[in-house]
Amino acid sequence: MAPTILTAETVQSILSEVILDRSTPVRDAVDRYFAPGYIQVTDGAVSDREAFITHVEAVRGHIQSGELKVVDFVLDPARGVFADRHVVKVVKNDGNASELDVYMFGRLDGDGRITEVNEITRVISGASGDSELARVRH
């Protein structure tokens, strides 16, 4: 069960587990923190829950390691909305490093699971094509 009140630390933990922790199967992590009707919009590309799972599996397949740090976080619990800025640093399978800046806005259901995310990403360092990590599906 997802936490009912999010903090910067819990968002960082959730995103790190879902995206970077290979010891947790992607579907198990998504089931724990994301609602069944979850929708994500990344840089204008819309993904349903299954497409999001495919995306996370693809990201895990393209990287050797990574770390995620929430830099800024706000929550409006009365409306069930939150926003954050997080930085993701990864080492890709080819050994090259990349750093992405992500601005994320989300909604929560009554159980504290994420129902919707709308995010914009930018490459801080790495190859210009590394922006595709935010949307990769294979």
Side-chain angles (χ1 to χ4, degrees):
M1 175 72 65
T4 54
I5 298 295
L6 289 182
T7 65
E9 292 78 17
T10 57
V11 169
Q12 183 169 306
S13 176
I14 288 167
L15 295 177
S16 294
E17 179 181 345
V18 171
I19 299 165
L20 303 172
D21 182 2
R22 288 193 168 109
S23 69
T24 303
V26 173
R27 189 169 296 278
D28 291 352
V30 170
D31 286 347
R32 189 169 16 263
Y33 302 114
F34 294 83
Y38 177 70
I39 296 292
Q40 179 165 315
V41 180
T42 301
D43 300 325
V46 179
S47 300
D48 63 12
R49 192 170 192 271
E50 286 303 312
F52 174 67
I53 290 169
T54 299
H55 161 68
V56 173
E57 289 170 340
V59 168
R60 287 186 182 186
H62 283 275
I63 64 172
Q64 295 176 15
S65 62
E67 65 181 67
L68 186 146
K69 171 104 174 114
V70 172
V71 178
D72 296 301
F73 175 79
V74 294
L75 170 70
D76 181 345
R79 293 180 49 220
V81 296
F82 66 96
D84 93 350
R85 175 178 162 240
H86 58 271
V87 175
V88 184
K89 297 178 182 180
V90 298
V91 176
K92 298 177 294 181
N93 291 337
D94 64 8
N96 290 314
S98 182
E99 187 173 357
L100 298 173
D101 200 13
V102 182
Y103 298 83
M104 179 174 80
F105 301 85
R107 292 192 179 283
L108 303 168
D109 67 13
D111 294 327
R113 290 193 298 171
I114 301 168
T115 61
E116 177 185 331
V117 160
N118 203 318
E119 62 185 14
I120 300 293
T121 64
R122 73 177 181 94
V123 175
I124 296 171
S125 64
S128 61
D130 289 347
S131 63
E132 289 305 309
L133 285 170
R135 296 172 300 283
V136 67
R137 297 271 170 92
H138 53 76

